[in-house]
């Protein structure tokens, strides 16, 4: 066995060798430098080896039905009969309708609101998005995995789970499989397909949560104003759908080495009426189990005097890694430690004059989604590249096991090249399988390029 693999074998007596030296998030802001250790294209030899081990386990189960692959339990954040809640909300919306926000009625979707406003496509039924077509070929782990990877580099997704479980391959693998099963249960692919068209209209018009600008490390800033949220304004299934849609949309705004977001929990004008424990529990579960390593920092801003009591109730629910990323700021000076003045909103003490205003769908923005032939061609190209990537990954893991440095390096180079090609092909297919949204309508996101200046006010 060569020198490199002998060294790795000696080091692998402890998984703790992976992830060593990662800086605390506050230290990164103090230095003004993002810590990329353990991230895609920034792996140590030990971490590279553990990633290969993860892929070996994945490939061994690749053709098995997903439901037969062992995993962590798929836990619901709260017990809720979604079908019953949806039916109840529909009944209220029809029998006792009430306005929630600026003409948006209870249980009214963006699609409903668009029809009311006369926003319809040239399709025979005026639909803004075609009927959902399942993109997974079968029920195998492999198909489920690719449905989750989408426009990411495949390794980016795997590394999230490895880092979340401190590079314990078995624990990371079981966590990842549970996340795949959860996505199948929640029909995440279908949520992505329809986009904000099926989201609750009041949530979209309010701008309860939205991304704008970036922090000092380059991470997108998510502004979440709690004073805009009231539990009674929407059903729990609609809130959960919105949260999943938001998380999936934000993934498009992340490009390595930027793999996390800066979340501002803005508690200005917050009152007890804004507390929503089902939402809190759901959001925390999503961060910990199903979207790991997506949070860079969470800044709780301008909390009322009594919020310390609420925090004592919330903090035990947090995963320790998530808890370590929570910071508190009462004044603009606290935010300016993490966000440049030009990026910070004027309403919060900065110089950015932007104010959220929802941009309604354009009638023809999803025209490509009605092109079945184009979608089939894009799917074929992507599937061919995915197959090549899997073969390169097999060559890579085989070379690792054989201790062949030269073949290992060659396979690694080949799979990295193919990873870029898979990502590009997935982005092309995305045009046929994902409804456009606020960030594409405004030009902030165009062909995977994020440009916040499109909505940066002077």
């Amino acid at each position: 066995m060569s020198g490199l693999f002998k060294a790795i074998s000696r080091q692998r007596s402890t998984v703790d060798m992976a992830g060593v030296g990662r800086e605390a998030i506050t230290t990164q802001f103090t230095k003004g430098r993002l810590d990329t250790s353990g991230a895609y294209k920034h792996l140590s030899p030990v971490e590279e080896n553990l990633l290969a081990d993860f892929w070996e386990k994945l490939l061994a189960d690749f053709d098995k039905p997903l439901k037969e692959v062992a995993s962590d339990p798929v836990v619901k954040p709260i017990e809720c009969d979604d079908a019953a809640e949806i039916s109840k909300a529909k009944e209220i919306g029809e029998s006792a309708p009430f306005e929630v926000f600026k003409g948006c009625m209870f249980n009214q979707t963006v699609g409903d609101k668009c029809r009311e406003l006369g926003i319809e496509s040239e399709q025979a039924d005026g639909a803004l998005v075609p009927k959902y077509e399942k993109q997974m070929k079968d029920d195998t782990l492999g198909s489920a995995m690719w449905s989750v990877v989408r426009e990411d580099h495949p390794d980016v997704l795997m590394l999230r789970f490895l880092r979340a479980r401190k590079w314990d391959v078995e624990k990371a693998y079981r966590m990842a499989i549970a996340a795949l099963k959860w996505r199948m249960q929640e029909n995440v692919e279908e949520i992505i397909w329809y986009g904000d068209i099926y989201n609750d209209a009041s949530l979209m018009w309010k701008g309860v949560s939205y991304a704008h600008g970036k922090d000092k490390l380059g991470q997108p800033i998510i502004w979440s104003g709690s004073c805009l949220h009231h539990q009674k304004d929407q059903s729990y299934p609609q809130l959960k759908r919105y949260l999943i849609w938001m998380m999936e949309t934000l993934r498009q705004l992340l490009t390595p080495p930027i793999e996390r977001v800066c979340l501002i929990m803005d508690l200005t004008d917050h009152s007890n009426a804004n507390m929503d424990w089902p939402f809190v529990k759901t959001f925390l579960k999503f961060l910990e189990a199903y979207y790991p390593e997506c949070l860079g920092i969470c800044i709780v801003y301008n909390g009322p005097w009594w919020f310390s009591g609420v925090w004592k109730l919330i903090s035990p629910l947090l995963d320790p890694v998530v808890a370590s990323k929570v910071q508190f700021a009462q004044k603009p000076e606290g935010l300016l430690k993490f966000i440049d003045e030009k990026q910070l909103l004027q309403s919060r003490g900065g110089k950015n004059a932007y104010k959220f205003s929802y941009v309604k769908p354009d009638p023809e923005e999803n025209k490509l989604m009605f092109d079945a032939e184009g979608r089939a061609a894009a799917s074929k190209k992507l599937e061919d590249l995915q197959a090549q990537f899997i073969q390169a990954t097999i060559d890579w893991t085989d070379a690792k096991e054989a201790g062949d440095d030269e073949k290992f390096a060659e396979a690694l180079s080949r799979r990295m090249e193919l990873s870029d090609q898979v990502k590009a092909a997935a982005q092309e297919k995305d045009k046929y399988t994902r409804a456009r949204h606020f960030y594409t309508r405004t030009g902030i996101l165009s062909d995977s390029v994020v440009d916040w200046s499109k909505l940066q006010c002077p």
Side-chain angles (χ1 to χ4, degrees):
M1 184 180 286
S2 67
L4 170 62
F5 287 100
K6 286 180 180 178
I8 289 175
S9 296
R10 288 194 299 270
Q11 289 175 313
R12 288 199 55 212
S13 60
T14 172
V15 174
D16 289 340
M17 287 300 295
V20 167
R22 182 163 184 82
E23 293 179 329
I25 188 65
T26 51
T27 304
Q28 295 178 53
F29 278 98
T30 300
K31 292 183 177 181
R33 184 183 67 233
L34 182 70
D35 184 356
T36 58
S37 58
Y40 182 62
K41 294 187 177 181
H42 295 276
L43 302 181
S44 69
V46 174
E47 291 164 346
E48 190 80 56
N49 203 54
L50 292 170
L51 175 62
D53 287 348
F54 186 100
W55 272 102
E56 281 188 286
K57 290 185 67 66
L58 182 66
L59 293 172
D61 292 333
F62 211 65
D63 296 324
K64 295 180 181 178
L66 176 62
K67 63 182 180 181
E68 295 180 7
V69 182
S71 70
D72 289 345
V74 180
V75 179
K76 288 185 177 182
I78 67 167
E79 286 302 320
C80 176
D81 184 336
D82 282 5
E85 287 297 311
I86 291 171
S87 178
K88 179 181 177 181
K90 182 179 180 181
E91 182 180 346
I92 293 173
E94 292 176 348
S95 62
F98 63 91
E99 182 179 0
V100 175
F101 184 79
K102 293 185 177 180
C104 296
M105 307 300 289
F106 178 78
N107 205 46
Q108 184 179 42
T109 67
V110 170
D112 295 335
K113 188 66 177 176
C114 284
R115 281 191 294 274
E116 178 185 300
L117 297 173
I119 301 174
E120 297 183 331
S121 73
E122 295 180 353
Q123 300 298 315
D125 57 358
L128 299 177
V129 179
K131 186 177 179 180
Y132 168 65
E133 292 184 13
K134 188 174 182 179
Q135 297 302 297
M136 285 178 56
K137 294 188 301 181
D138 49 44
D139 63 354
T140 62
L141 167 58
S143 290
M145 184 212 78
W146 284 121
S147 77
V148 178
V149 171
R150 292 190 67 93
E151 302 90 59
D152 265 342
H153 288 285
D155 284 351
V156 168
L157 183 67
M158 311 311 162
L159 289 168
R160 291 190 186 282
F161 292 100
L162 281 166
R163 293 195 302 267
R165 289 297 176 260
K166 296 180 173 56
W167 299 90
D168 183 312
V169 174
E170 181 60 34
K171 289 182 178 179
Y173 186 67
R174 292 180 66 90
M175 180 189 187
I177 300 304
L180 294 183
K181 291 178 179 178
W182 169 81
R183 291 177 70 92
M184 300 305 110
Q185 290 180 11
E186 295 294 342
N187 298 315
V188 175
E189 184 182 84
E190 183 174 354
I191 290 174
I192 293 172
W193 177 283
Y194 286 114
D196 61 7
I197 299 297
Y198 278 8
N199 281 355
D200 184 88
S202 69
L203 287 171
M204 301 306 299
W205 257 260
K206 286 179 186 177
V208 172
S209 296
Y210 64 90
H212 188 73
K214 56 187 178 181
D215 66 17
K216 290 183 178 180
L217 298 181
Q219 302 174 138
I221 302 171
I222 314 306
W223 293 92
S224 184
S226 65
C227 69
L228 295 171
H229 177 71
H230 295 86
Q231 184 176 355
K232 65 179 177 58
D233 286 351
Q234 62 284 307
S235 65
Y236 175 74
Q238 262 294 7
L239 187 64
K240 181 173 62 170
R241 185 192 195 286
Y242 171 78
L243 188 54
I244 293 173
W245 170 83
M246 189 70 178
M247 302 284 266
E248 289 297 321
T249 301
L250 292 176
R251 285 179 62 189
Q252 293 187 287
L253 304 181
L254 301 174
T255 302
I258 306 300
E259 297 183 8
R260 302 176 179 87
V261 302
C262 169
L263 174 63
I264 309 294
M265 297 295 294
D266 189 348
L267 302 185
T268 302
D269 298 327
H270 179 91
S271 72
N272 281 329
N274 303 121
M275 283 305 301
D276 183 349
W277 284 112
F279 166 77
V280 171
K281 291 179 180 179
T282 300
F283 181 55
L284 295 180
K285 185 62 180 178
F286 284 7
L287 280 180
E288 184 274 325
Y290 306 133
Y291 294 93
E293 288 289 299
C294 286
L295 180 67
I297 186 170
C298 174
I299 306 171
V300 180
Y301 178 67
N302 200 19
W305 64 268
W306 47 264
F307 185 74
S308 59
V310 176
W311 176 246
K312 289 180 180 178
L313 296 175
I314 294 176
S315 53
L317 302 176
L318 293 174
D319 176 85
V321 175
V322 174
S324 70
K325 298 176 181 180
V326 178
Q327 302 292 312
F328 294 86
Q330 283 300 116
K331 298 181 179 180
E333 290 77 12
L335 292 177
L336 289 169
K337 293 179 181 179
F338 307 101
I339 305 169
D340 286 332
E341 195 174 39
K342 291 182 179 180
Q343 296 287 332
L344 185 61
L345 301 180
Q346 277 186 2
S347 60
R348 296 299 174 258
K351 292 187 175 180
N352 188 332
Y354 175 72
K355 294 181 180 180
F356 178 83
S357 179
Y358 179 62
V359 177
K360 297 182 288 295
D362 179 278
E364 303 303 324
E365 66 183 9
N366 296 313
K367 195 170 184 177
L368 283 179
M369 293 187 70
F370 291 90
D371 181 0
E373 290 185 5
R375 179 164 52 253
S379 297
K380 177 65 167 59
K381 180 178 179 179
L382 177 58
E383 289 168 9
D384 289 347
L385 287 168
Q386 288 171 340
Q388 293 179 52
F389 176 84
I390 291 300
Q391 184 56 56
T393 300
I394 293 171
D395 295 341
W396 176 58
T397 56
D398 285 351
K400 183 211 66 167
E401 290 300 315
D404 190 323
D405 287 6
E406 184 175 350
K407 287 185 178 180
F408 181 85
E410 289 177 359
L412 176 60
S413 177
R414 175 61 176 154
R415 75 186 295 273
M416 295 295 271
E417 176 186 336
L418 282 165
S419 181
D420 288 337
Q421 293 177 26
V422 167
K423 179 179 174 69
Q427 288 170 343
E428 182 62 25
K429 181 182 177 180
D430 183 76
K431 299 174 183 178
Y432 299 90
T433 59
R434 183 197 298 261
R436 303 302 90 183
H437 49 70
F438 177 83
Y439 304 99
T440 52
R441 291 171 201 143
T442 55
I444 290 174
L445 178 65
S446 179
D447 293 328
S448 80
V449 176
V450 178
D451 183 0
W452 295 108
S453 69
K454 297 294 185 181
L455 277 184
Q456 204 83 350
C457 298

